[in-house]
Amino acid sequence: MQKKIYILVPAFNEEASIGKVIKNLKDHGYQNILVVNDGSCDNTSSIARQAGAEVLEHIINRGQGGALQTGLEYLHKTYDPDAIVTFDADGQHKIEDLPAMLAPVLNEGYDISLGSRFLSDNIHVPLIRRLILKAGIIFTNIVSHIKLTDTHNGFRVLGKKAAASIKISHRGMEHASDIIDEITKKKLRFKEVPVEILYSDYSKAKGQASSGFVKMGIKILIKKLTS
Ligand SMILES: Nc1nc2c(ncn2[C@@H]2O[C@H](COP(=O)(O)OP(=O)(O)O)[C@@H](O)[C@H]2O)c(=O)[nH]1
Ligand SMILES: [Mg+2]
């Protein structure tokens, strides 16, 4: 039987890239695309609809984590897909990596695939970003008692069990740690898969500020110490 695959694209002010990303997904045969428009003040929503995606709207900006939580809950309850792929709207993820990301969940019995740019043969991460990401990886592995090579990669594939059980409570970029904590808490079987992350001038200008990683670490520590 044909597997039901849904692509979830969180999007905040991505009018310059969202149309191309959706077209590329469709051209590669992925027809089920949900965009969560996270309170954008540009034409992200209308461009996504025109390109053939289903669009959910956040009236105000709720952050990347909030957009993913909205989309995961909606897709799981509405369509019960075999796989939900989280895929960024800014063109940083490579569609060619998708079959290898899907395989562990669809064919190998894993609950979730996690993209890792540091397992890839093509690592283009700019130096400062690389240092910050590496610090984030060490920090997250320690506080979350896990061993991963990339902890802040938005390219993931969730099978049914992961989609049903993962709850993202942080709205901002700390959501990545929520997902990792849920993996350990709910004993989900995970596999890291090499993926290439593309860094264009557009994605670099738009991406998370480096200072955000420090704030993120503080928020995670506070949450760990108070929960
Ligand atoms: N920065 C940011 N991205 C958001 C937000 N809500 C949804 N997103 C989407 O989340 C994805 C990753 O965001 P990005 O800023 O590129 O993060 P980075 O690539 O990890 O630095 C993109 O598809 C964004 O459009 C938000 O409030 N802020
Ligand atoms: Mg990005």
Side-chain angles (χ1 to χ4, degrees):
M1 209 178 55
Q2 183 90 7
K3 301 275 187 186
K4 247 195 286 177
I5 299 166
Y6 274 76
I7 317 287
L8 165 56
V9 184
F12 179 55
N13 293 341
E14 301 280 12
E15 66 179 1
S17 62
I18 189 87
K20 240 186 296 170
V21 168
I22 293 169
K23 182 176 183 314
N24 199 17
L25 284 162
K26 293 217 161 214
D27 287 349
H28 282 79
Y30 300 98
Q31 301 302 327
N32 305 319
I33 303 168
L34 176 74
V35 171
V36 179
N37 174 32
D38 193 22
S40 301
C41 25
D42 65 2
N43 294 314
T44 295
S45 190
S46 54
I47 294 173
R49 275 202 185 88
Q50 260 164 29
E54 181 178 356
V55 180
L56 293 184
E57 304 280 353
H58 281 173
I59 305 301
I60 52 162
N61 174 254
R62 291 170 62 185
Q64 218 174 312
L68 286 173
Q69 176 61 32
T70 297
L72 283 179
E73 209 174 309
Y74 173 79
L75 287 177
H76 176 63
K77 286 190 181 149
T78 314
Y79 303 112
D80 191 27
D82 296 296
I84 299 176
V85 179
T86 63
F87 200 84
D88 283 359
D90 57 1
Q92 286 204 272
H93 296 160
K94 252 181 96 172
I95 188 92
E96 290 79 4
D97 289 327
L98 194 36
M101 285 288 288
L102 285 164
V105 167
L106 295 182
N107 310 325
E108 299 166 23
Y110 287 93
D111 299 313
I112 183 166
S113 298
L114 303 169
S116 171
R117 75 199 91 192
F118 295 112
L119 290 178
S120 165
D121 293 333
N122 293 308
I123 306 176
H124 319 283
V125 190
L127 181 64
I128 300 286
R129 178 50 60 112
R130 187 185 297 217
L131 292 173
I132 290 166
L133 282 168
K134 290 277 185 187
I137 292 163
I138 293 169
F139 175 82
T140 307
N141 281 342
I142 292 171
V143 297
S144 298
H145 310 290
I146 201 164
K147 204 164 180 323
L148 293 173
T149 61
D150 194 356
T151 46
H152 289 82
N153 194 320
F155 200 174
R156 306 178 182 91
V157 177
L158 288 78
K160 286 187 188 225
K161 185 175 170 192
S165 55
I166 286 181
K167 298 281 172 282
I168 301 171
S169 52
H170 281 104
R171 291 180 167 194
M173 60 198 295
E174 315 82 65
H175 75 274
S177 296
D178 284 343
I179 294 174
I180 292 168
D181 284 342
E182 291 283 85
I183 289 173
T184 50
K185 226 192 298 168
K186 313 238 160 106
K187 298 193 171 43
L188 299 176
R189 294 195 62 207
F190 67 90
K191 185 174 186 181
E192 285 195 298
V193 176
V195 296
E196 199 176 332
I197 299 292
L198 306 168
Y199 287 87
S200 61
D201 289 342
Y202 172 74
S203 72
K204 282 191 274 188
K206 257 217 85 240
Q208 302 289 337
S210 300
S211 58
F213 279 85
V214 178
K215 285 188 211 145
M216 175 187 74
I218 294 169
K219 279 194 203 163
I220 291 168
L221 275 182
I222 290 172
K223 190 168 178 220
K224 294 257 173 204
L225 293 171
T226 54
S227 61

